[in-house]
Amino acid sequence: MNMVSFIVIYARDLEKSLQFYTALGLSFKQEQHGAGPKHHSCQMGGAGVGDIPV
């Protein structure tokens, strides 16, 4: 059986996106990998969710 392991949410307004998904019960932490963009991610069951700026 195939499973989703990571979901990426691209957002123009990271703050609004973060507020929306936090209101749904997700708990995000800020991350940055090397010189990449600052973004937020969380674990939801066995999958990761990432909030990336557009």
Side-chain angles (χ1 to χ4, degrees):
M1 172 167 48
N2 293 329
M3 296 176 56
V4 173
S5 61
F6 201 83
I7 299 168
V8 176
I9 302 165
Y10 291 98
R12 293 188 196 283
D13 188 330
L14 282 181
E15 263 320 298
K16 281 187 180 180
S17 178
L18 186 61
Q19 289 173 0
F20 175 79
Y21 289 104
T22 299
L24 293 177
L26 299 177
S27 179
F28 286 86
K29 65 178 181 175
Q30 185 171 322
E31 296 184 342
Q32 183 174 14
H33 307 285
K38 289 182 182 176
H39 62 281
H40 299 90
S41 69
C42 75
Q43 289 294 313
M44 189 172 71
V49 178
D51 189 356
I52 310 285
V54 173

